Amino acid sequence: MAGSEAHGAETPVAPDAVKILIAGGFGVGKTTMVGSVSEIVPLRTEEPLTVAGLGIDDLVGIERKKATTVALDFGRITVNDRLVLYLFGTPGQQRFWFMWNDLAVGALGAVVLIDVRRPESSFAAVDFFERRGIPFVVGVNGFDGHHPYPPEEIRDALALPVGVPVLLCDARERESSRDVLIALLDLLIASAARGTASS
């Protein structure tokens, strides 16, 4: 009897792991987004800003910033028993961009965060994912809840294709960050469905 019960029991299946990058320029809120939505205490590699960065790190508009990511941020979200998201936040300063290539290995998609006060700081992130063909959504992080520009203006300013979702968000808020990730998952599912249909 015990043998037949064991034979009929289902073997546990490991959930699918999906690697997502949270990218953007210096000080756009990547660490904040990973921290707001992760179900675990996120791994952070933040170091204090020092005088050594003066003249190198552009602090215009983010003068209150006291620390910066020097390697990556890491968080996790269990969607259900079959799907787990692993979030990797990229470093923002240009001198650490060489790490993006390694972080992008195996990534299925990305969130590019935009700071509306300094949109030019995320142009390179948009270009990075476009060149590599990695699907991405744009999250417009409204600091202090302020969103002076509608999504279509942001799309035009970044010269984004119509198929790239642009969402207003607040990286401090769990629900807002979650909605951006859901939009990315919807994009990935639609992209996979198109690929299946065309094959």
Side-chain angles (χ1 to χ4, degrees), residues 69-99:
T69 299
V70 295
L72 60 89
D73 300 305
F74 174 78
R76 184 187 72 203
I77 302 172
T78 301
V79 177
N80 54 43
D81 59 359
R82 292 168 30 186
L83 180 63
V84 177
L85 304 184
Y86 291 104
L87 309 177
F88 290 79
T90 65
Q93 301 101 308
Q94 188 171 356
R95 64 183 183 275
F96 295 131
W97 285 355
F98 69 91
M99 299 183 63

mmCIF file of all heavy atoms in Angstrom, residues 69-99:
data_model
loop_
_atom_site.group_PDB
_atom_site.id
_atom_site.type_symbol
_atom_site.label_atom_id
_atom_site.label_comp_id
_atom_site.label_asym_id
_atom_site.label_seq_id
_atom_site.Cartn_x
_atom_site.Cartn_y
_atom_site.Cartn_z
ATOM 1 N N THR A 69 25.223 52.120 -5.935
ATOM 2 C CA THR A 69 25.472 50.703 -6.204
ATOM 3 C C THR A 69 26.766 50.559 -6.996
ATOM 4 O O THR A 69 26.939 51.200 -8.032
ATOM 5 C CB THR A 69 24.299 50.097 -6.994
ATOM 6 O OG1 THR A 69 23.107 50.211 -6.212
ATOM 7 C CG2 THR A 69 24.553 48.629 -7.323
ATOM 8 N N VAL A 70 27.645 49.690 -6.510
ATOM 9 C CA VAL A 70 28.930 49.516 -7.193
ATOM 10 C C VAL A 70 29.030 48.163 -7.906
ATOM 11 O O VAL A 70 29.989 47.931 -8.632
ATOM 12 C CB VAL A 70 30.110 49.668 -6.211
ATOM 13 C CG1 VAL A 70 30.160 51.082 -5.663
ATOM 14 C CG2 VAL A 70 30.020 48.654 -5.075
ATOM 15 N N ALA A 71 28.067 47.275 -7.703
ATOM 16 C CA ALA A 71 28.077 45.993 -8.415
ATOM 17 C C ALA A 71 26.667 45.658 -8.893
ATOM 18 O O ALA A 71 26.381 45.731 -10.077
ATOM 19 C CB ALA A 71 28.633 44.879 -7.527
ATOM 20 N N LEU A 72 25.784 45.310 -7.966
ATOM 21 C CA LEU A 72 24.412 44.969 -8.345
ATOM 22 C C LEU A 72 23.528 44.987 -7.112
ATOM 23 O O LEU A 72 24.001 45.002 -5.979
ATOM 24 C CB LEU A 72 24.357 43.586 -9.005
ATOM 25 C CG LEU A 72 24.853 42.384 -8.170
ATOM 26 C CD1 LEU A 72 23.737 41.769 -7.334
ATOM 27 C CD2 LEU A 72 25.448 41.322 -9.094
ATOM 28 N N ASP A 73 22.222 45.010 -7.359
ATOM 29 C CA ASP A 73 21.208 44.742 -6.345
ATOM 30 C C ASP A 73 20.544 43.433 -6.745
ATOM 31 O O ASP A 73 20.430 43.120 -7.930
ATOM 32 C CB ASP A 73 20.146 45.849 -6.309
ATOM 33 C CG ASP A 73 20.744 47.212 -6.001
ATOM 34 O OD1 ASP A 73 21.426 47.332 -4.969
ATOM 35 O OD2 ASP A 73 20.531 48.149 -6.785
ATOM 36 N N PHE A 74 20.081 42.671 -5.752
ATOM 37 C CA PHE A 74 19.438 41.397 -6.063
ATOM 38 C C PHE A 74 18.210 41.212 -5.191
ATOM 39 O O PHE A 74 18.261 41.413 -3.971
ATOM 40 C CB PHE A 74 20.404 40.232 -5.837
ATOM 41 C CG PHE A 74 19.757 38.882 -6.002
ATOM 42 C CD1 PHE A 74 19.515 38.371 -7.267
ATOM 43 C CD2 PHE A 74 19.358 38.149 -4.899
ATOM 44 C CE1 PHE A 74 18.898 37.133 -7.431
ATOM 45 C CE2 PHE A 74 18.754 36.902 -5.050
ATOM 46 C CZ PHE A 74 18.519 36.405 -6.318
ATOM 47 N N GLY A 75 17.098 40.844 -5.836
ATOM 48 C CA GLY A 75 15.876 40.548 -5.111
ATOM 49 C C GLY A 75 15.141 39.396 -5.771
ATOM 50 O O GLY A 75 15.522 38.935 -6.853
ATOM 51 N N ARG A 76 14.075 38.940 -5.112
ATOM 52 C CA ARG A 76 13.328 37.795 -5.629
ATOM 53 C C ARG A 76 11.837 37.999 -5.409
ATOM 54 O O ARG A 76 11.416 38.564 -4.394
ATOM 55 C CB ARG A 76 13.765 36.514 -4.905
ATOM 56 C CG ARG A 76 13.117 35.238 -5.437
ATOM 57 C CD ARG A 76 13.468 34.045 -4.575
ATOM 58 N NE ARG A 76 12.777 34.117 -3.298
ATOM 59 C CZ ARG A 76 13.184 33.502 -2.185
ATOM 60 N NH1 ARG A 76 14.289 32.811 -2.183
ATOM 61 N NH2 ARG A 76 12.480 33.601 -1.068
ATOM 62 N N ILE A 77 11.040 37.528 -6.369
ATOM 63 C CA ILE A 77 9.585 37.523 -6.248
ATOM 64 C C ILE A 77 9.083 36.148 -6.675
ATOM 65 O O ILE A 77 9.355 35.704 -7.797
ATOM 66 C CB ILE A 77 8.921 38.579 -7.145
ATOM 67 C CG1 ILE A 77 9.442 39.984 -6.828
ATOM 68 C CG2 ILE A 77 7.401 38.543 -6.991
ATOM 69 C CD1 ILE A 77 8.954 41.030 -7.813
ATOM 70 N N THR A 78 8.365 35.466 -5.804
ATOM 71 C CA THR A 78 7.726 34.209 -6.168
ATOM 72 C C THR A 78 6.330 34.539 -6.689
ATOM 73 O O THR A 78 5.463 34.976 -5.928
ATOM 74 C CB THR A 78 7.626 33.262 -4.959
ATOM 75 O OG1 THR A 78 8.944 33.003 -4.464
ATOM 76 C CG2 THR A 78 6.968 31.949 -5.352
ATOM 77 N N VAL A 79 6.123 34.354 -7.977
ATOM 78 C CA VAL A 79 4.827 34.646 -8.592
ATOM 79 C C VAL A 79 3.819 33.563 -8.208
ATOM 80 O O VAL A 79 2.696 33.842 -7.791
ATOM 81 C CB VAL A 79 4.960 34.775 -10.120
ATOM 82 C CG1 VAL A 79 3.602 35.008 -10.767
ATOM 83 C CG2 VAL A 79 5.926 35.907 -10.473
ATOM 84 N N ASN A 80 4.231 32.310 -8.369
ATOM 85 C CA ASN A 80 3.428 31.163 -7.938
ATOM 86 C C ASN A 80 4.384 29.982 -7.803
ATOM 87 O O ASN A 80 5.601 30.157 -7.882
ATOM 88 C CB ASN A 80 2.268 30.879 -8.911
ATOM 89 C CG ASN A 80 2.738 30.722 -10.347
ATOM 90 O OD1 ASN A 80 3.754 30.076 -10.614
ATOM 91 N ND2 ASN A 80 2.021 31.324 -11.279
ATOM 92 N N ASP A 81 3.833 28.769 -7.578
ATOM 93 C CA ASP A 81 4.717 27.620 -7.369
ATOM 94 C C ASP A 81 5.432 27.169 -8.631
ATOM 95 O O ASP A 81 6.250 26.253 -8.600
ATOM 96 C CB ASP A 81 3.944 26.447 -6.751
ATOM 97 C CG ASP A 81 2.774 25.985 -7.614
ATOM 98 O OD1 ASP A 81 2.550 26.583 -8.686
ATOM 99 O OD2 ASP A 81 2.081 25.027 -7.212
ATOM 100 N N ARG A 82 5.137 27.815 -9.757
ATOM 101 C CA ARG A 82 5.791 27.465 -11.023
ATOM 102 C C ARG A 82 6.678 28.569 -11.591
ATOM 103 O O ARG A 82 7.336 28.356 -12.603
ATOM 104 C CB ARG A 82 4.731 27.099 -12.069
ATOM 105 C CG ARG A 82 4.026 25.808 -11.739
ATOM 106 C CD ARG A 82 2.790 25.566 -12.579
ATOM 107 N NE ARG A 82 2.842 26.144 -13.912
ATOM 108 C CZ ARG A 82 1.796 26.139 -14.744
ATOM 109 N NH1 ARG A 82 0.660 25.597 -14.379
ATOM 110 N NH2 ARG A 82 1.895 26.681 -15.927
ATOM 111 N N LEU A 83 6.682 29.754 -10.958
ATOM 112 C CA LEU A 83 7.423 30.876 -11.532
ATOM 113 C C LEU A 83 8.031 31.764 -10.448
ATOM 114 O O LEU A 83 7.328 32.219 -9.547
ATOM 115 C CB LEU A 83 6.499 31.721 -12.414
ATOM 116 C CG LEU A 83 7.125 32.938 -13.105
ATOM 117 C CD1 LEU A 83 8.221 32.499 -14.073
ATOM 118 C CD2 LEU A 83 6.056 33.742 -13.839
ATOM 119 N N VAL A 84 9.339 31.992 -10.565
ATOM 120 C CA VAL A 84 10.063 32.874 -9.657
ATOM 121 C C VAL A 84 10.826 33.901 -10.484
ATOM 122 O O VAL A 84 11.484 33.549 -11.469
ATOM 123 C CB VAL A 84 11.052 32.092 -8.765
ATOM 124 C CG1 VAL A 84 11.857 33.049 -7.883
ATOM 125 C CG2 VAL A 84 10.310 31.086 -7.897
ATOM 126 N N LEU A 85 10.703 35.164 -10.102
ATOM 127 C CA LEU A 85 11.460 36.231 -10.756
ATOM 128 C C LEU A 85 12.693 36.562 -9.921
ATOM 129 O O LEU A 85 12.579 36.755 -8.706
ATOM 130 C CB LEU A 85 10.616 37.496 -10.909
ATOM 131 C CG LEU A 85 9.278 37.397 -11.636
ATOM 132 C CD1 LEU A 85 8.663 38.793 -11.751
ATOM 133 C CD2 LEU A 85 9.444 36.764 -13.005
ATOM 134 N N TYR A 86 13.837 36.637 -10.573
ATOM 135 C CA TYR A 86 15.062 37.097 -9.925
ATOM 136 C C TYR A 86 15.403 38.462 -10.511
ATOM 137 O O TYR A 86 15.582 38.603 -11.725
ATOM 138 C CB TYR A 86 16.195 36.092 -10.144
ATOM 139 C CG TYR A 86 15.964 34.793 -9.402
ATOM 140 C CD1 TYR A 86 15.541 33.653 -10.081
ATOM 141 C CD2 TYR A 86 16.142 34.716 -8.020
ATOM 142 C CE1 TYR A 86 15.311 32.464 -9.402
ATOM 143 C CE2 TYR A 86 15.915 33.540 -7.338
ATOM 144 C CZ TYR A 86 15.496 32.419 -8.029
ATOM 145 O OH TYR A 86 15.257 31.245 -7.348
ATOM 146 N N LEU A 87 15.472 39.445 -9.653
ATOM 147 C CA LEU A 87 15.686 40.827 -10.069
ATOM 148 C C LEU A 87 17.132 41.225 -9.834
ATOM 149 O O LEU A 87 17.667 41.064 -8.730
ATOM 150 C CB LEU A 87 14.766 41.760 -9.273
ATOM 151 C CG LEU A 87 13.282 41.393 -9.232
ATOM 152 C CD1 LEU A 87 12.530 42.373 -8.343
ATOM 153 C CD2 LEU A 87 12.699 41.367 -10.636
ATOM 154 N N PHE A 88 17.754 41.757 -10.875
ATOM 155 C CA PHE A 88 19.132 42.222 -10.790
ATOM 156 C C PHE A 88 19.164 43.704 -11.132
ATOM 157 O O PHE A 88 18.891 44.087 -12.278
ATOM 158 C CB PHE A 88 20.033 41.445 -11.754
ATOM 159 C CG PHE A 88 20.258 40.011 -11.377
ATOM 160 C CD1 PHE A 88 19.301 39.040 -11.627
ATOM 161 C CD2 PHE A 88 21.438 39.636 -10.754
ATOM 162 C CE1 PHE A 88 19.500 37.721 -11.278
ATOM 163 C CE2 PHE A 88 21.660 38.303 -10.395
ATOM 164 C CZ PHE A 88 20.685 37.354 -10.646
ATOM 165 N N GLY A 89 19.479 44.533 -10.154
ATOM 166 C CA GLY A 89 19.625 45.962 -10.406
ATOM 167 C C GLY A 89 21.043 46.273 -10.853
ATOM 168 O O GLY A 89 22.015 45.810 -10.236
ATOM 169 N N THR A 90 21.168 47.028 -11.926
ATOM 170 C CA THR A 90 22.487 47.341 -12.482
ATOM 171 C C THR A 90 23.071 48.584 -11.824
ATOM 172 O O THR A 90 22.339 49.445 -11.351
ATOM 173 C CB THR A 90 22.399 47.590 -14.002
ATOM 174 O OG1 THR A 90 21.600 48.761 -14.223
ATOM 175 C CG2 THR A 90 21.784 46.402 -14.719
ATOM 176 N N PRO A 91 24.397 48.710 -11.810
ATOM 177 C CA PRO A 91 25.000 49.965 -11.360
ATOM 178 C C PRO A 91 24.750 51.061 -12.389
ATOM 179 O O PRO A 91 24.645 50.773 -13.586
ATOM 180 C CB PRO A 91 26.491 49.628 -11.244
ATOM 181 C CG PRO A 91 26.698 48.491 -12.199
ATOM 182 C CD PRO A 91 25.409 47.717 -12.203
ATOM 183 N N GLY A 92 24.642 52.286 -11.917
ATOM 184 C CA GLY A 92 24.277 53.371 -12.819
ATOM 185 C C GLY A 92 25.415 54.192 -13.380
ATOM 186 O O GLY A 92 25.309 54.732 -14.479
ATOM 187 N N GLN A 93 26.526 54.307 -12.629
ATOM 188 C CA GLN A 93 27.602 55.176 -13.111
ATOM 189 C C GLN A 93 28.283 54.582 -14.330
ATOM 190 O O GLN A 93 28.456 53.370 -14.437
ATOM 191 C CB GLN A 93 28.674 55.394 -12.023
ATOM 192 C CG GLN A 93 28.154 56.001 -10.774
ATOM 193 C CD GLN A 93 27.955 54.924 -9.733
ATOM 194 O OE1 GLN A 93 27.309 53.915 -9.989
ATOM 195 N NE2 GLN A 93 28.504 55.132 -8.557
ATOM 196 N N GLN A 94 28.690 55.440 -15.213
ATOM 197 C CA GLN A 94 29.273 54.998 -16.481
ATOM 198 C C GLN A 94 30.497 54.119 -16.272
ATOM 199 O O GLN A 94 30.727 53.172 -17.032
ATOM 200 C CB GLN A 94 29.638 56.213 -17.339
ATOM 201 C CG GLN A 94 30.069 55.852 -18.748
ATOM 202 C CD GLN A 94 30.205 57.065 -19.648
ATOM 203 O OE1 GLN A 94 29.907 58.179 -19.240
ATOM 204 N NE2 GLN A 94 30.655 56.860 -20.853
ATOM 205 N N ARG A 95 31.265 54.373 -15.230
ATOM 206 C CA ARG A 95 32.491 53.588 -15.033
ATOM 207 C C ARG A 95 32.210 52.139 -14.638
ATOM 208 O O ARG A 95 33.113 51.308 -14.646
ATOM 209 C CB ARG A 95 33.396 54.261 -13.996
ATOM 210 C CG ARG A 95 32.840 54.359 -12.595
ATOM 211 C CD ARG A 95 33.848 55.122 -11.720
ATOM 212 N NE ARG A 95 33.446 55.220 -10.335
ATOM 213 C CZ ARG A 95 32.651 56.146 -9.847
ATOM 214 N NH1 ARG A 95 32.136 57.061 -10.665
ATOM 215 N NH2 ARG A 95 32.350 56.193 -8.560
ATOM 216 N N PHE A 96 30.940 51.835 -14.278
ATOM 217 C CA PHE A 96 30.574 50.462 -13.926
ATOM 218 C C PHE A 96 29.747 49.780 -15.017
ATOM 219 O O PHE A 96 29.286 48.653 -14.838
ATOM 220 C CB PHE A 96 29.787 50.435 -12.615
ATOM 221 C CG PHE A 96 30.587 50.875 -11.423
ATOM 222 C CD1 PHE A 96 30.073 51.821 -10.554
ATOM 223 C CD2 PHE A 96 31.832 50.348 -11.155
ATOM 224 C CE1 PHE A 96 30.788 52.233 -9.443
ATOM 225 C CE2 PHE A 96 32.564 50.757 -10.058
ATOM 226 C CZ PHE A 96 32.034 51.702 -9.189
ATOM 227 N N TRP A 97 29.567 50.440 -16.147
ATOM 228 C CA TRP A 97 28.725 49.867 -17.202
ATOM 229 C C TRP A 97 29.298 48.584 -17.795
ATOM 230 O O TRP A 97 28.554 47.794 -18.383
ATOM 231 C CB TRP A 97 28.501 50.883 -18.321
ATOM 232 C CG TRP A 97 27.518 51.956 -17.960
ATOM 233 C CD1 TRP A 97 26.773 52.039 -16.819
ATOM 234 C CD2 TRP A 97 27.182 53.098 -18.738
ATOM 235 N NE1 TRP A 97 26.001 53.177 -16.838
ATOM 236 C CE2 TRP A 97 26.231 53.850 -18.007
ATOM 237 C CE3 TRP A 97 27.596 53.563 -19.984
ATOM 238 C CZ2 TRP A 97 25.685 55.030 -18.492
ATOM 239 C CZ3 TRP A 97 27.061 54.746 -20.462
ATOM 240 C CH2 TRP A 97 26.107 55.470 -19.721
ATOM 241 N N PHE A 98 30.589 48.347 -17.646
ATOM 242 C CA PHE A 98 31.173 47.118 -18.192
ATOM 243 C C PHE A 98 30.511 45.888 -17.564
ATOM 244 O O PHE A 98 30.503 44.811 -18.152
ATOM 245 C CB PHE A 98 32.688 47.082 -17.949
ATOM 246 C CG PHE A 98 33.079 46.923 -16.502
ATOM 247 C CD1 PHE A 98 33.269 45.663 -15.954
ATOM 248 C CD2 PHE A 98 33.235 48.040 -15.680
ATOM 249 C CE1 PHE A 98 33.624 45.504 -14.624
ATOM 250 C CE2 PHE A 98 33.585 47.894 -14.348
ATOM 251 C CZ PHE A 98 33.780 46.631 -13.820
ATOM 252 N N MET A 99 29.924 46.048 -16.374
ATOM 253 C CA MET A 99 29.282 44.921 -15.692
ATOM 254 C C MET A 99 27.943 44.550 -16.319
ATOM 255 O O MET A 99 27.432 43.448 -16.110
ATOM 256 C CB MET A 99 29.080 45.250 -14.215
ATOM 257 C CG MET A 99 30.366 45.507 -13.460
ATOM 258 S SD MET A 99 30.049 45.800 -11.728
ATOM 259 C CE MET A 99 29.347 44.224 -11.261
#
